[in-house]
């Protein structure tokens, strides 16, 4: 649970609420009238207001009014059930008197569970005399060409989940013993590719990571409208993102430039009406001996 809760007022203009969410980098917030929770604004509510020209209205006119809460002393399973059953990504936490004391999100729960799992894993591993490392997959499986393929679906305009694919790929590489400096480069490049799918497509797409013994191959593919001028989109600062996307702090036109800077090879393929494919390659170096039998 996060006890530092950013809240919105019912009479706050939507433009002000959008700016508050952008600067605080949050995807939703409870709406408070004094000490009483009267609603919640999500990224979906904000996007709906922007797309339908309601940014001159108030928060109370756009918020979700039926708000589910969870008591601070409730077991974490209750919060998980509430979030899963209602499809929400955040849940206000209250005390017995109904006073807001915090907020729990799917992200905070996942991080807490991953932390507990990691602590448990480390404890068990420390008790073993011989630890099997994930990187041994490239030593213990005999084949002419061994690879590990990770596939992630990315939905368009899903800002609440944007970045999950890059985070999971980053974690997988860390578990495989890849050099931390390379992991950081990969994380930046994949995040930018993931955000491109979220921002610029109408149908979303997928990110595929193929981990080989000596290299990492990333593909970001969508079946959207395609790109008319590849030369122009590769220019730093050029963006086709709509104004409301740029108002949220995204779509600055530096994504492909950052990907090219971080990767060992980048190739962009697209044609109008034929979708887009972005291939990004990374070569494992001498610091990645765990993948190469060192």
């Amino acid at each position: 649970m996060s006890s530092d809760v950013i809240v919105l007022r019912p009479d706050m203009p939507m433009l002000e609420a959008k700016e508050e969410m952008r600067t605080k980098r949050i995807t939703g917030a409870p709406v408070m009238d004094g000490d009483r929770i009267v609603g919640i604004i999500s990224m979906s509510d904000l996007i709906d207001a922007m797309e339908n020209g309601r940014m001159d209205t108030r928060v109370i006119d756009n918020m979700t009014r039926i708000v589910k809460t969870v008591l601070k002393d409730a077991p974490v399973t209750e919060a998980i059930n509430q979030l899963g059953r209602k499809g929400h990504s955040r849940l206000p936490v209250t005390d017995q008197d109904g006073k807001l004391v915090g907020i729990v999100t799917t992200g905070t729960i996942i991080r807490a569970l991953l932390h507990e799992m990691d602590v448990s894993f480390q404890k068990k591993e420390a008790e073993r005399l011989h630890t099997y490392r994930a990187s041994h997959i490239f030593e213990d499986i005999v084949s002419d060409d061994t690879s590990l393929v990770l596939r992630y679906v990315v939905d368009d305009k899903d800002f609440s989940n944007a970045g999950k694919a890059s985070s999971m790929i980053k974690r997988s590489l860390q578990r495989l013993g890849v050099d931390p400096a390379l992991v950081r480069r990969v994380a930046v490049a994949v995040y930018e590719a993931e955000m491109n799918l979220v921002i610029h497509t109408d149908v979303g797409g997928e990110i595929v990571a193929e981990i080989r013994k000596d290299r990492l191959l990333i593909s970001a593919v969508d079946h959207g409208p395609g790109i008319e001028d590849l030369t122009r989109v590769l220019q730093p600062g050029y963006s086709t993102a709509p104004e409301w996307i740029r108002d949220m702090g995204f779509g600055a036109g530096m994504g492909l430039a950052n990907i090219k800077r971080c990767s060992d090879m980048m190739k962009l393929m697209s044609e109008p009406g034929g979708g887009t494919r972005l291939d990004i390659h990374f070569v494992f170096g001498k610091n990645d001996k765990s993948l190469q039998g060192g």
Side-chain angles (χ1 to χ4, degrees):
M1 179 189 79
S2 173
S3 57
D4 185 17
V5 186
I6 298 168
V7 301
L8 305 176
R9 305 186 314 275
D11 61 346
M12 179 183 288
M14 284 299 292
L15 283 172
E16 185 179 337
K18 182 199 71 173
E19 185 64 17
E20 180 77 358
M21 292 170 65
R22 185 185 70 82
T23 56
K24 297 298 193 305
R25 301 188 69 83
I26 57 175
T27 59
V31 181
M32 301 290 295
D33 186 2
D35 293 333
R36 187 167 60 94
I37 303 174
V38 295
I40 194 165
I41 283 285
S42 67
M43 183 63 73
S44 297
D45 297 324
L46 180 60
I47 291 174
D48 184 67
M50 287 190 287
E51 289 183 337
N52 291 282
R54 298 198 308 273
M55 294 305 291
D56 57 343
T57 60
R58 301 171 301 166
V59 165
I60 194 173
D61 301 317
N62 298 275
M63 67 184 186
T64 300
R65 294 176 179 271
I66 301 177
V67 182
K68 292 293 183 179
T69 61
V70 64
L71 291 174
K72 66 176 183 178
D73 297 326
V76 68
T77 52
E78 182 175 334
I80 293 174
N81 288 334
Q82 287 269 33
L83 290 168
R85 184 166 58 249
K86 298 298 180 181
H88 300 317
S89 59
R90 61 193 55 79
L91 196 63
V93 181
T94 64
D95 59 17
Q96 294 291 344
D97 298 324
K99 182 180 179 181
L100 181 69
V101 296
I103 193 164
V104 64
T105 67
T106 52
T108 56
I109 289 178
I110 289 173
R111 284 192 293 272
L113 291 176
L114 287 176
H115 175 72
E116 291 300 319
M117 290 170 61
D118 191 54
V119 169
S120 176
F121 173 80
Q122 294 295 338
K123 183 178 179 180
K124 290 180 180 179
E125 290 296 291
E127 295 172 353
R128 297 182 182 181
L129 293 177
H130 302 286
T131 302
Y132 179 87
R133 296 185 61 186
S135 57
H136 289 178
I137 186 174
F138 294 98
E139 301 172 27
D140 297 345
I141 296 179
V142 179
S143 72
D144 292 329
D145 185 12
T146 301
S147 64
L148 178 64
V149 177
L150 312 176
R151 190 181 305 272
Y152 304 95
V153 174
V154 180
D155 294 326
D156 67 294
K157 309 304 183 293
D158 186 6
F159 291 94
S160 296
N161 292 305
K164 281 191 175 181
S166 56
S167 294
M168 288 186 280
I169 290 173
K170 175 182 177 181
R171 180 174 174 80
S172 297
L173 294 176
Q174 289 172 331
R175 295 293 300 274
L176 287 168
V178 175
D179 175 41
L182 178 55
V183 172
R184 287 191 292 271
R185 287 168 49 205
V186 172
V188 171
V190 177
Y191 175 79
E192 295 286 7
E194 188 174 357
M195 289 306 300
N196 279 346
L197 292 177
V198 172
I199 294 171
H200 295 290
T201 71
D202 297 325
V203 294
E206 68 174 10
I207 289 181
V208 178
E210 182 180 356
I211 306 171
R212 296 184 180 178
K213 185 176 181 179
D214 60 346
R215 67 189 60 229
L216 170 66
L217 312 177
I218 301 288
S219 295
V221 181
D222 72 76
H223 302 288
I227 301 172
E228 293 186 2
D229 191 340
L230 288 176
T231 302
R232 196 172 185 187
V233 299
L234 290 171
Q235 296 175 357
Y238 176 78
S239 176
T240 59
E243 188 67 28
W244 66 269
I245 291 286
R246 291 196 290 271
D247 285 344
M248 292 168 58
F250 301 107
M254 295 302 297
L256 291 174
N258 288 335
I259 293 172
K260 186 175 182 179
R261 174 177 56 84
C262 292
S263 64
D264 294 314
M265 191 280 285
M266 183 189 84
K267 184 176 182 181
L268 180 64
M269 297 160 284
S270 183
E271 60 182 35
T276 301
R277 178 187 178 97
L278 176 64
D279 289 336
I280 316 167
H281 293 185
F282 299 87
V283 178
F284 296 137
K286 61 182 179 180
N287 293 327
D288 303 299
K289 293 181 179 178
S290 57
L291 288 176
Q292 302 184 38

